[in-house]
Amino acid sequence: MRTFLLKRLPSGLLVLALASFLVFLILRLIPGDPATTLAGPDAAPATVAAIRARLGLDQPLFGQYASWLGHLLSGDLGPSYAIGGQVSDLIGNGLGATVQLTLGALLLVVLIALPLAVVGATTRRGPVAAAVQAVTTGVLAVPPFVTGVLLVLVFAVSFELLPAGGHESLLAEPDLAVQYLAMPALCLALPSAAVLARYLKDGIERALAEDYVRTATALGVTRRRIVWRHALPNALPSAVTVLGLQIGHLVAGAVLVERIFAWPGLGQLIEQGVLRRDYPLVQDLLLLVVAVYVAVQLLTDLAYTWLDPRIRWE
């Protein structure tokens, strides 16, 4: 497994290097001058020039990129000129809330997808199968911002069961934190749960069609034991790959969900940085998202090799 990781690591570093250049270049292609935005519409040309020099925007493009990478590798993320404070402090303050939201959503993804997949695979016809198909299709068809508004209207406005927005740390106030976390985590988890349920359902159906299942059935093994002890483990490797991809979607989707539920995480920080043209902050945040995605894919590959020993031997 260590050899497998060492083989995958260079490709992950290459993805990070390419992503850093693309993030840097795309931000520079956005119309407008961040120095003018920071200085204000009535600022004197000398003030705008001073801000541009302070941001390093008066340097050649490659020089700006090399300077940013140098500070990044040294751990000096620099200040945020638009929002205020050090970029490292801003990211540290928002990272905990985003991790809390993403892990809560990931837990719901598994808890929702697993029973849907098992029920859908074992009852191919009838109203139950139709209901599972309708749920997964409906969840995928409805955008998360619509789901979020509906959850707020039902659980916060109509029944007043949950707070409409806000955040509390799980370590400080667990009971209150779960109430704040429930709706945003569910809103973020539903699309990924539907995708995972479909892939896992297909995997279980393929496993149930194998010869060993017919042999086990002929020997009198119960259907429940066949599904949970044989079919489901054989369907897990491909489902783990899909789950790894969906974790990346959860991190990206947190930007929108945090906005809906006033969740003080990295999503709101990215939004503020983009609107205020805060290059240092947005660059570091976007590269952090890519790094998390690459790390998740590496962990997914490791989990796949653990579940399927044939990959290790290859």
Side-chain angles (χ1 to χ4, degrees):
M1 190 171 293
R2 182 183 301 174
T3 304
F4 183 85
L5 178 60
L6 291 176
K7 289 181 179 180
R8 292 292 189 273
L9 198 57
S11 61
L13 295 176
L14 179 60
V15 169
L16 279 177
L18 293 175
S20 67
F21 182 73
L22 289 176
V23 166
F24 175 85
L25 187 61
I26 289 173
L27 288 177
R28 266 64 183 179
L29 293 176
I30 298 176
D33 183 8
T36 304
T37 303
L38 293 175
D42 300 326
T47 304
V48 175
I51 294 177
R52 186 177 289 109
R54 189 177 180 185
L55 293 175
L57 299 177
D58 56 342
Q59 302 177 11
L61 197 64
F62 183 77
Q64 297 179 39
Y65 177 68
S67 176
W68 172 52
L69 281 187
H71 286 90
L72 193 64
L73 294 175
S74 66
D76 180 16
L77 302 184
S80 168
Y81 295 102
I83 298 176
Q86 293 294 315
V87 171
S88 56
D89 294 336
L90 293 173
I91 293 177
N93 293 335
L95 184 61
T98 297
V99 168
Q100 181 177 315
L101 175 60
T102 305
L103 291 180
L106 181 60
L107 177 62
L108 289 179
V109 167
V110 176
L111 293 178
I112 295 172
L114 185 59
L116 284 178
V118 172
V119 171
T122 54
T123 55
R124 298 187 181 183
R125 296 181 179 85
V128 176
V132 171
Q133 183 69 21
V135 168
T136 55
T137 303
V139 167
L140 286 173
V142 179
F145 64 86
V146 176
T147 305
V149 173
L150 290 176
L151 289 175
V152 170
L153 289 176
V154 173
F155 294 104
V157 177
S158 298
F159 295 101
E160 298 182 356
L161 297 175
L162 296 170
H167 167 263
E168 184 61 60
S169 173
L170 280 171
L171 300 178
E173 296 287 344
D175 297 339
L176 187 59
V178 170
Q179 296 180 39
Y180 281 115
L181 181 62
M183 284 198 296
L186 181 60
C187 177
L188 185 59
L190 284 176
S192 295
V195 173
L196 180 62
R198 288 193 169 191
Y199 276 92
L200 190 56
K201 170 180 170 293
D202 292 341
I204 295 174
E205 288 178 347
R206 287 194 298 269
L208 291 175
E210 296 290 339
D211 293 337
Y212 73 86
V213 172
R214 288 192 287 269
T215 302
T217 303
L219 292 175
V221 181
T222 62
R223 186 70 168 177
R224 176 179 297 179
R225 183 179 179 84
I226 291 174
V227 171
W228 290 98
R229 294 293 300 274
H230 301 286
L232 182 59
N234 285 334
L236 283 180
S238 59
V240 165
T241 302
V242 175
L243 182 60
L245 294 174
Q246 293 307 309
I247 293 175
H249 290 196
L250 293 178
V251 175
V255 176
L256 177 61
V257 173
E258 288 180 6
R259 176 63 175 170
I260 297 173
F261 294 95
W263 192 268
L266 297 182
Q268 284 200 6
L269 202 58
I270 290 177
E271 180 193 8
Q272 294 175 15
V274 171
L275 292 177
R276 301 183 186 184
R277 304 296 301 275
D278 195 335
Y279 278 170
L281 177 62
V282 177
Q283 287 174 167
D284 295 337
L285 283 173
L286 293 180
L287 191 59
L288 175 62
V289 171
V290 175
V292 169
Y293 191 84
V294 171
V296 168
Q297 296 311 306
L298 289 175
L299 293 176
T300 302
D301 289 341
L302 289 177
Y304 197 102
T305 60
W306 180 69
L307 291 170
D308 192 347
R310 294 173 298 179
I311 303 297
R312 293 201 296 268
W313 291 113
E314 292 175 0

